[in-house]
Amino acid sequence: MSTWKRNLLAAPVLLWIGLLVGVPMVLVVALSFLSRDNLGNIVYQFTLDNYRRVLDPIYLRVFWNSLLLALLTGVITLLIGYPVAYISANLPPRRRALALGLIMLPFWISSLLRTYGWMILLGNTGLINNLLLALGIVDRPLPMMYKFGTSLVGTAYMLLPFMVVAVFNSVDKLDRSLLEASYDLGASRRQTFFHITIPLTLPGIVGGFTLVFIPALGLYFVSDLLGGGNTVFLGNLIHTMATRGRNRPLAAAFSLGMVALALLVLSLYWKVSKDKSGEALFQ
Amino acid sequence: MKQPLLALVNLNKYYGDVHVLKDISFTINEGEFLTLLGPSGCGKTTLLRCIAGLERIESGDILLEGASIKELAPNKRNVNTVFQNYALFPHLNVYDNIAYGPRMKKSLSEAELKKRVVQVLELVQMSGYEQRMPHQLSGGQRQRIAIARALINEPAILLLDEPLGALDLKLRKYMQTELARLQRKTGTTFVYVTHDQEEALNMSDRIVVIDQGQVQQLGSPREIYNSPANLFVTSFIGDRNIVPVRVLEVGEERARVKLGEDSVLVRSSRTNGKALQAGEEAVLAILMDKMRVSCEEAENALRGTVASIHYAGSQIRIEVRVADRILTVVEYQKMDCDCAVGDAVSVTWEDSGAILLPKEDGWEERGF
């Protein structure tokens, strides 16, 4: 088949990606170089002012908060998600389907509702505090809401299924005879896990981390509701600028700053994990 | 008497309700090449995995050098396995694959290890391949690396699970001689699983024929080929004509039997406990390639008519109708007589090529 014919076959996909991904991206990039008037209307006049403000040191703190939140979310979901995925993937077929179903179940409920659920749990008059008070473990309610940690718990909870599904798939593909070969050659279960299982499921770990890290960087309603705005994250900042701040060009510039941060961190991460896992895995 | 290297004692294994290994008992001697031969699903691979420790046994015992190993985890047993699909670690290069065992057991310093890796690579004729990744190797090369990875641990027994199954015919033949060479050179005891009778007959010191989870016969390739113990072994090993006959008289080692109009004197099976009685039905098995067709009347022969003649390269297959049965004769050189389809002929055979066995229940249904 000639090259142009093959490209023709890909046309519907390219069109789809172009319309739904390419065009919006171009619009955001274009918007980020425009100005606005006092009422928030777009003024079609080229400026670099928006980017100057993105690079302003007072916003560095916000970038840092978001980066920390996203990295910690990645680590927490990995630590919780890996064992869950590993155990589920090794269950007999029927119970496996049930386990996967249970992991996906929260997706059936609005994420906003689930976030309110956390408020009911963690609030000063919430379930946990009431229980602790009733049992006499504490005298006054533990302040658990509106902290960085609260946002972290909420975000990690929200994104955990992505990690589980990504790791599940790679554990599922793992050739069991390799584990047997490892035991047979004299390795203990622990040695087998660290020398065989982890390196061979690294694609799942990398995939899961990527799937969790990117949304964690931009997710704003969880930190809005659970963090109460005490820690400002990029997502909250962009949301505020685009709505109440009436500055969509600046919001667009910050969005692209966030994309740049994500690409930077992920490219570092991919490079390190690829180096460690050998070329055969990524072919 | 010298103690056997490995002894299997009344070993039983179930998968749920399925009894896959039934009272398996035999011993393996140091330095021998022992083959577990049987059709797929007979339990031979399961037996190998029980020895490796990858399967638990429900009852019985496994003794290695006199000590029970049945409770030991696979990593604590001094045996190593070459897996059917080789199971090389895809993320490690050849060197690290081979070094895996000693590193996990911390049995060698890195300097000694390096020397040993070079040695075993030389042994399997793969020197210089240290830095290759498994996916850069051909099937035969992977096979050699898998063997090297096992041998570096100097196991008391090397277990091989159909290691040649995935290779093409030519390479398979070559690797047969190669494996036999390796076994002689290292003096390691090999326990080899296969469903291929030719492989088994070619390489083994002794063969254990297994069917339906039971040992059917244990012996040298020669014994098994020439004196099969029962109908299963008779049909599984060698190409034979298997026909029902009537026993006329029973002697010390031979019996006179009748097929159609003719009666012949044949060797009767001694390995099977049940003695034949005159007047009963029995089964006569004759190796196709030990038979001859002749145009003249002959001693101790069956008379029949030629039903068809096929020329297949170096061999000629002649089908002869005797009574209501078709016997197939395979001749390699020129035929004794220049017969054509429909001619009356006599069929004879070398005495060692025929054996008389007792009838077993349902043997015809099992497709013998």
Side-chain angles (χ1 to χ4, degrees), chain B residues 122-164:
Chain B
E122 205 172 302
L123 191 68
V124 297
Q125 300 179 344
M126 288 288 287
S127 299
Y129 280 82
E130 284 90 339
Q131 299 309 318
R132 298 282 189 98
M133 298 302 286
H135 73 268
Q136 296 170 317
L137 303 174
S138 70
Q141 291 172 330
R142 282 180 213 190
Q143 167 80 78
R144 289 159 187 271
I145 299 306
I147 294 169
R149 183 177 71 172
L151 282 178
I152 198 172
N153 302 292
E154 297 181 326
I157 302 176
L158 185 69
L159 307 168
L160 301 107
D161 185 9
E162 306 222 17
L164 307 186

Side-chain angles (χ1 to χ4, degrees), chain A residues 190-262:
Chain A
R190 201 187 134 84
Q191 284 174 320
T192 301
F193 183 74
F194 285 106
H195 288 97
I196 306 297
T197 309
I198 291 275
L200 289 179
T201 52
L202 203 58
I205 298 174
V206 173
F209 190 89
T210 309
L211 281 177
V212 167
F213 179 82
I214 294 174
L217 212 50
L219 208 63
Y220 68 92
F221 67 88
V222 176
S223 50
D224 244 4
L225 293 171
L226 296 178
N230 286 341
T231 320
V232 182
F233 297 104
L234 272 175
N236 307 81
L237 189 70
I238 294 165
H239 179 228
T240 311
M241 279 171 182
T243 55
R244 271 171 288 166
R246 295 182 188 178
N247 197 344
R248 284 189 288 149
L250 185 59
F254 267 100
S255 301
L256 291 169
M258 191 170 87
V259 171
L261 180 66

Side-chain angles (χ1 to χ4, degrees), chain A residues 175 177-189 191-192 195-196 199-200 277-281 283, chain B residues 49 52 54 74-75 79-81 83 85 87-91 100-101 104-106 133 135-136 149-150 153:
Chain A
D175 181 356
S177 69
L178 296 177
L179 306 182
E180 291 188 340
S182 172
Y183 300 138
D184 186 78
L185 290 167
S188 64
R189 288 188 169 273
Q191 284 174 320
T192 301
H195 288 97
I196 306 297
L200 289 179
S277 60
E279 48 193 284
L281 293 176
Q283 284 183 348
Chain B
R49 291 171 59 83
L54 298 168
N75 54 328
V79 297
N80 285 116
T81 309
F83 290 85
N85 61 358
L88 296 180
F89 304 127
H91 60 303
Y100 191 83
M104 293 301 124
K105 287 180 290 191
K106 301 182 178 69
M133 298 302 286
H135 73 268
Q136 296 170 317
R149 183 177 71 172
N153 302 292

Side-chain angles (χ1 to χ4, degrees), chain A residues 142-168:
Chain A
L142 280 177
M144 290 184 288
M145 284 297 290
Y146 312 123
K147 294 171 181 299
F148 179 83
T150 330
S151 301
L152 182 59
V153 167
T155 311
Y157 162 75
M158 208 61 76
L159 299 174
L160 182 64
F162 292 105
M163 179 63 85
V164 174
V165 170
V167 175
F168 182 95

Side-chain angles (χ1 to χ4, degrees), chain B residues 185-226:
Chain B
K185 188 155 184 192
T186 58
T188 309
T189 309
F190 276 31
V191 176
Y192 187 95
V193 163
T194 185
H195 63 269
D196 185 328
Q197 52 156 315
E198 190 213 312
E199 257 173 51
L201 294 168
N202 241 335
M203 294 189 283
S204 326
D205 295 320
R206 287 194 303 158
I207 297 174
V208 183
V209 184
I210 299 176
D211 184 46
Q212 300 187 330
Q214 282 173 308
V215 174
Q216 304 291 330
Q217 190 172 3
L218 196 162
S220 69
R222 198 189 163 83
E223 277 164 15
I224 294 208
Y225 191 76
N226 287 333

